[in-house]
Amino acid sequence: MEYISLLDTSLDLNANPMRFLDEAPINKGAENNFFELEKKTSVKEETSALVEELSRVSAENKKLTEMLTVLCENYNNLRSHLMNYASKNPDREHAMSRKRKAEGGAATNKNSVSNNGGNSESSSSDEDSCKKPREEHVKAKISRVCVRTEASDTSLVVKDGYQWRKYGQKVTRDNPCPRAYFKCSFAPACPVKKKVQRSVEDQSIVVATYEGEHNHPHPSRHESSTSSASRCVAAQGSVPCSASLAPTITLDLTKPMPNGAKDSSRTGALGAPDVQEFLVEQMASSLTKDPSFKAALAAAISRRIIQDDRHQTEKW
DNA sequence: CGTTTTTGACCGGCGC
DNA sequence: GCGCCGGTCAAAAACG
């Protein structure tokens, strides 16, 4: 909610209720002196209103600066955390006495996900090339997305706009949290699969691993934007996410934004025209949902109508 | 009643 | 060959 307040979507409809006094061609003549006097006072009021507005904007600016500072701090903390983890990682891999190659890929994938892993594409590169059935998997584009959810939220659902059919769930050895397996609902036409599992380190983070690329258009961006979305893509990190993921960022301005979602990686995506359009949609829907906005709009319209009526009656 | 989810069984790869 | 493990299948249950 705080978030929405920062985005000043107000159209300043009530900012200066006295403004119409200036514009309205009120009777000249006998009341002229009085009007002049009133005009002066209204200018004063306008000035004070502007000063007030200025101080409000300054305060807002200050607040934003503070938020940005906190954001940078969080980012740096997280980054150093990841660096530490990455430096420890090779030892951990050695410690695992029994590691098959494929699993090594999978396991390190997971690790690299949690550590924002720079080179998370390892799984596909070191695969035995002689394994025919695996060849498709090797070629399949693998990408990972970390999604922050509420810790209490036990469902392994990552809203990315696509429709998925769950076909399995397994508890894996290195993570007590079950891993869910999904296929694109357009399967078998669309070969994309995804695995979703909570992070060992942070249960509030869900790691989704996508295999392959959708060979069909995004079902409905609108659908994804209006769906219950307290989740936000928290970090795609440096993971080589497939482009198909870009328009699937779930954003609901009416919901509070988790800290993790204020990631710099998001801002990169904001430049995309799709995302901009999407943001406009979100803003529009937020505005229309806001009762105070509706009330202000109604007041402005009615005032305008009254004003026009005056014009008309004075002309006659 | 059709679709989706759950869950135990099964399969295949890998290390020993 | 055996056991472990991740991934998949498919029947049953749940849901709309």
Side-chain angles (χ1 to χ4, degrees):
Chain A
M1 295 308 138
E2 159 195 50
Y3 180 63
I4 193 80
S5 71
L6 293 171
L7 259 179
D8 191 1
T9 51
S10 73
L11 297 179
D12 203 18
L13 296 167
N14 280 323
N16 187 6
M18 301 297 283
R19 195 182 303 156
F20 74 94
L21 290 174
D22 294 336
E23 294 158 3
I26 301 176
N27 298 347
K28 291 159 190 174
E31 290 177 10
N32 226 1
N33 288 340
F34 174 73
F35 179 59
E36 281 295 315
L37 204 138
E38 193 183 64
K39 201 173 179 181
K40 276 180 190 170
T41 58
S42 76
V43 167
K44 267 188 185 174
E45 279 173 23
E46 198 174 10
T47 311
S48 65
L50 280 172
V51 170
E52 205 173 294
E53 180 74 5
L54 185 66
S55 60
R56 188 184 67 81
V57 170
S58 312
E60 214 163 75
N61 192 19
K62 196 179 166 188
K63 206 188 276 183
L64 281 170
T65 310
E66 282 170 12
M67 277 186 72
L68 190 65
T69 312
V70 172
L71 195 63
C72 289
E73 274 174 37
N74 285 344
Y75 172 73
N76 286 332
N77 284 342
L78 198 64
R79 199 176 160 181
S80 59
H81 220 79
L82 295 174
M83 292 294 189
N84 287 339
Y85 190 78
S87 62
K88 285 176 194 168
N89 224 11
D91 299 336
R92 195 169 161 178
E93 265 177 325
H94 277 296
M96 292 179 178
S97 57
R98 202 172 114 71
K99 273 287 178 204
R100 70 184 90 147
K101 274 185 199 169
E103 189 189 328
T108 51
N109 282 348
K110 205 173 65 58
N111 291 338
S112 63
V113 164
S114 53
N115 66 18
N116 201 12
N119 343 306
S120 51
E121 202 64 296
S122 60
S123 64
S124 51
S125 60
D126 62 354
E127 205 76 51
D128 298 350
S129 55
C130 58
K131 303 286 188 293
K132 276 135 256 164
R134 289 237 165 189
E135 215 134 310
E136 282 173 45
H137 275 282
V138 174
K139 283 178 186 170
K141 195 163 189 171
I142 298 175
S143 57
R144 271 160 295 275
V145 175
C146 301
V147 179
R148 185 179 288 277
T149 65
E150 288 170 32
S152 57
D153 187 3
T154 54
S155 66
L156 286 169
V157 179
V158 177
K159 298 265 182 179
D160 53 16
Y162 288 96
Q163 285 192 310
W164 300 94
R165 189 174 54 81
K166 190 176 179 180
Y167 67 89
Q169 182 167 316
K170 234 345 192 235
V171 177
T172 54
R173 203 166 51 93
D174 46 3
N175 190 340
C177 302
R179 176 185 295 169
Y181 300 88
F182 296 89
K183 277 179 185 168
C184 180
S185 61
F186 284 84
C190 178
V192 181
K193 291 177 204 168
K194 80 170 173 183
K195 290 179 276 189
V196 182
Q197 190 172 32
R198 291 194 173 276
S199 168
V200 186
E201 286 86 15
D202 188 349
Q203 304 266 317
S204 65
I205 292 176
V206 172
V207 180
T209 306
Y210 294 81
E211 286 180 32
E213 283 179 284
H214 295 279
N215 55 12
H216 56 90
H218 198 272
S220 165
R221 207 183 317 154
H222 181 73
E223 197 177 309
S224 73
S225 67
T226 53
S227 62
S228 69
S230 62
R231 300 171 184 85
C232 292
V233 174
Q236 297 183 354
S238 52
V239 171
C241 290
S242 62
S244 60
L245 283 167
T248 66
I249 292 169
T250 312
L251 173 69
D252 189 340
L253 299 179
T254 63
K255 299 281 165 81
M257 201 175 175
N259 280 340
K262 301 169 187 171
D263 190 280
S264 57
S265 64
R266 276 171 67 89
T267 55
L270 291 178
D274 277 359
V275 180
Q276 282 179 354
E277 186 189 326
F278 181 51
L279 281 171
V280 169
E281 276 178 28
Q282 280 290 320
M283 282 187 187
S285 68
S286 296
L287 285 173
T288 52
K289 275 181 208 162
D290 185 2
S292 63
F293 171 75
K294 281 183 187 169
L297 187 62
I301 291 169
S302 59
R303 201 165 58 230
R304 181 71 195 216
I305 290 168
I306 291 167
Q307 200 175 320
D308 284 351
D309 278 352
R310 270 196 200 173
H311 277 270
Q312 294 293 327
T313 51
E314 276 159 19
K315 274 184 189 171
W316 295 110

